[in-house]
Amino acid sequence: MKYVLGIFYVNRLDLLYKALYSIQAYWPNVIVIDNSWNHELRSAAAIPKEVSVYEPPVPLSHSQSQNMLHYWGAEKNCDFVMYMHSDAEAESGTPELLLKRVQCLVEDGTKWGAAYTYFDTLAVFSMKAIKSVGPWDPNLPMYYSDIDWFRRMRLSHYELIETLLPVKHHNDGASTVKSDLYLLHLHEVTFPLYQDYYIRKWGGGMGQETYVLAFDRFPLNPVPEYLR
């Protein structure tokens, strides 16, 4: 099986190290996207040499980073791509067991779109599903972007697999925002805007959606022949 795993980094180098050193089995396939404003990973000496670091021309949003991961998956002819939060830490044995579970999904023909551990702290996405569902919505740069993509995935009749494999999520998640007062303020200001956009796009909030097409008129996949 061929795959690439992306971690999107903004801050908290200490937590990034915890994430990386908990997934040693994946190192040759790991790419960390350095979305820090000061190119912090240029001087991060403890990043394993087997791990790749990509520094975009400008910092990418979460959705843009996910779409970059899609591109790499297609470029490398992967069966699936993986995503890990930079403040997550896989428990011993989880990385290996997750790959075994995904291998079973690939071999038994299940029409799966994604496989969760502790929610999406460490998640796997089928490239077949990605090409069918399309890119993450760049109008939702961070919050609600995952909810939007997973809704489109389910409406495209792909299954979400709950593996229940153990992964820690430090600080109850959102460490990037919690560790930067500017990002925290930005989140507080923009979150209602993204929430309103999602409601307008799907005819209701999470769990109360009424539309089966985006804005009740547009295809679930906004990019025809995505990644083909």
Side-chain angles (χ1 to χ4, degrees):
M1 297 186 299
K2 299 178 67 175
Y3 68 93
V4 60
L5 183 149
I7 299 178
F8 314 148
Y9 177 77
V10 177
N11 57 30
R12 292 299 302 270
L13 189 57
D14 59 322
L15 295 181
L16 175 64
Y17 287 150
K18 287 180 182 291
L20 287 173
Y21 281 89
S22 73
I23 56 167
Q24 189 169 351
Y26 298 159
W27 281 357
N29 305 91
V30 173
I31 304 176
V32 181
I33 299 181
D34 186 359
N35 290 323
S36 62
W37 66 271
N38 58 347
H39 309 297
E40 187 174 350
L41 297 189
R42 289 182 183 180
S43 56
I47 290 182
K49 66 179 185 303
E50 297 90 344
V51 171
S52 300
V53 175
Y54 172 71
E55 187 178 290
V58 296
L60 304 178
S61 71
H62 179 82
S63 291
Q64 289 172 325
S65 297
Q66 290 285 3
N67 293 337
M68 188 78 245
L69 186 58
H70 291 179
Y71 173 81
W72 286 328
E75 182 183 53
K76 298 175 184 295
N77 198 29
C78 292
D79 300 292
F80 54 87
V81 296
M82 305 179 74
Y83 162 65
M84 186 177 192
H85 288 231
S86 62
D87 61 351
E89 184 176 3
E91 298 280 4
S92 178
T94 288
E96 295 82 3
L97 289 172
L98 181 57
L99 283 182
K100 288 181 180 179
R101 182 66 188 276
V102 172
Q103 184 173 6
C104 290
L105 292 173
V106 171
E107 291 176 352
D108 69 13
T110 300
K111 190 177 180 182
W112 66 284
Y116 266 4
T117 52
Y118 177 60
F119 298 105
D120 67 343
T121 49
L122 176 59
V124 188
F125 298 86
S126 161
M127 283 302 301
K128 288 182 180 178
I130 288 170
K131 291 176 181 178
S132 176
V133 176
W136 289 51
D137 189 340
N139 295 303
L140 294 168
M142 189 172 179
Y143 292 102
Y144 278 92
S145 60
D146 55 343
I147 300 169
D148 174 82
W149 197 88
F150 281 108
R151 173 164 179 77
R152 289 160 48 212
M153 183 194 78
R154 290 189 180 95
L155 288 171
S156 300
H157 307 294
Y158 285 90
E159 186 176 351
L160 174 62
I161 307 298
E162 300 274 4
T163 69
L164 303 179
L165 291 170
V167 175
K168 296 178 184 176
H169 204 185
H170 295 285
N171 303 319
D172 293 321
S175 297
T176 295
V177 170
K178 293 175 181 176
S179 301
D180 187 309
L181 290 177
Y182 170 75
L183 292 178
L184 181 60
H185 174 68
L186 189 65
H187 161 64
E188 291 172 347
V189 171
T190 58
F191 186 88
L193 302 178
Y194 302 141
Q195 185 179 46
D196 182 66
Y197 175 86
Y198 183 88
I199 291 171
R200 291 174 183 271
K201 184 173 184 178
W202 294 111
M206 184 174 65
Q208 299 177 321
E209 299 91 339
T210 59
Y211 300 158
V212 294
L213 294 175
F215 298 101
D216 203 26
R217 67 180 66 185
F218 299 116
L220 298 175
N221 184 346
V223 182
E225 300 298 312
Y226 184 54
L227 298 177
R228 292 182 176 86

